[in-house]
Amino acid sequence: ARKIFEERLQGPLAFGNALESSVEDDDEADSIPDFYGKPAILGLERCAAFRETTSEFRRAATAGLFNTGTNLLTNLVRKNCVVDKACPEKMPQKQKMAMMARGECIGYPFQVPWGKHNPLHFRGRHVVDRLDHFNISEVLPAVLVKDPLTWARSMCRTPYAARFGRGSCCPSPLDPNRLRAMRNVTVNFKKGFPMERYAHLLDF
């Protein structure tokens, strides 16, 4: 188990993958280890119902924990997913958001209205600035999930709002003594909301 863990930290996904760096061709797919399995798209059978119960202003928006590649996914969606009544590409973001609020154009927000890194229970309880005009039932969250081991390594490097003991070796889930440093994770997602607490980093 220790050997597998060390190989995964040193392998092609240790410092980045297709969600964190530019890809010149399709060779990047060949570097993904076999243990991830074949790509799978779940929930396609629900797409028709979503389209039938929403208006032309439905859109996707990015969500995911820290260090999962949310910024890149947002940019990829904006560049590759074209919709009717799309907002002018070169328009300043503030002006574009105003047009979206008036229903004059359709654009992809930088995040889901309740905050891209926030837990799901923020949905309907918190709204990000300038996204209060969104009908959240017409927002399709595009949620990013990263490999737990490489994600833990990224969190050790840049924890953002998470607080936990990192120690001299982080992460080290195979060492019981060092694993204690990864326990009792607290995250202050938003001022005015209770501190979120997790048993350990992988629980988060």
Side-chain angles (χ1 to χ4, degrees):
R2 181 179 296 277
K3 181 179 179 181
I4 293 174
F5 172 69
E6 292 174 348
E7 288 177 350
R8 292 177 74 176
L9 286 184
Q10 297 173 1
L13 298 182
F15 296 100
N17 54 29
L19 291 180
E20 292 184 337
S21 59
S22 61
V23 180
E24 299 299 332
D25 51 42
D26 294 334
D27 291 341
E28 181 73 16
D30 297 333
S31 68
I32 299 178
D34 293 336
F35 54 72
Y36 285 113
K38 296 181 179 180
I41 301 177
L42 306 178
L44 290 178
E45 70 281 359
R46 301 169 60 187
C47 292
F50 178 73
R51 289 193 295 267
E52 291 172 0
T53 57
T54 54
S55 73
E56 63 177 342
F57 288 95
R58 59 181 174 267
R59 72 206 75 194
T62 307
L65 291 176
F66 312 121
N67 292 305
T68 55
T70 53
N71 291 347
L72 179 57
L73 180 60
T74 297
N75 291 331
L76 289 174
V77 168
R78 287 177 172 176
K79 290 180 180 297
N80 293 282
C81 299
V82 180
V83 295
D84 295 332
K85 296 183 64 176
C87 298
E89 184 176 352
K90 301 298 183 180
M91 180 178 292
Q93 186 64 21
K94 188 174 182 179
Q95 186 178 353
K96 186 182 300 184
M97 294 300 294
M99 288 186 64
M100 290 166 60
R102 295 191 298 267
E104 297 174 1
C105 70
I106 300 175
Y108 292 104
F110 198 71
Q111 57 188 327
V112 292
W114 54 92
K116 63 180 180 179
H117 296 314
N118 293 337
L120 183 58
H121 63 76
F122 274 54
R123 185 179 187 269
R125 300 174 55 202
H126 170 69
V127 180
V128 178
D129 292 343
R130 299 204 301 269
L131 296 184
D132 55 344
H133 63 279
F134 276 68
N135 179 351
I136 61 175
S137 66
E138 296 194 332
V139 174
L140 180 67
V143 183
L144 281 161
V145 179
K146 190 175 180 179
D147 174 274
L149 293 180
T150 55
W151 174 80
R153 185 185 183 102
S154 297
M155 287 298 296
C156 289
R157 184 171 60 247
T158 311
Y160 292 99
R163 297 292 178 265
F164 58 94
R166 287 181 277 175
S168 59
C169 182
C170 179
S172 187
L174 299 181
D175 187 333
N177 295 319
R178 290 173 175 167
L179 181 59
R180 295 190 183 95
M182 299 168 63
R183 294 176 180 170
N184 302 319
V185 177
T186 60
V187 187
N188 187 10
F189 286 102
K190 181 67 178 178
K191 185 177 180 180
F193 279 76
M195 184 85 70
E196 301 286 339
R197 300 181 183 277
Y198 303 90
H200 46 73
L201 186 59
L202 297 183
D203 177 43
F204 169 42

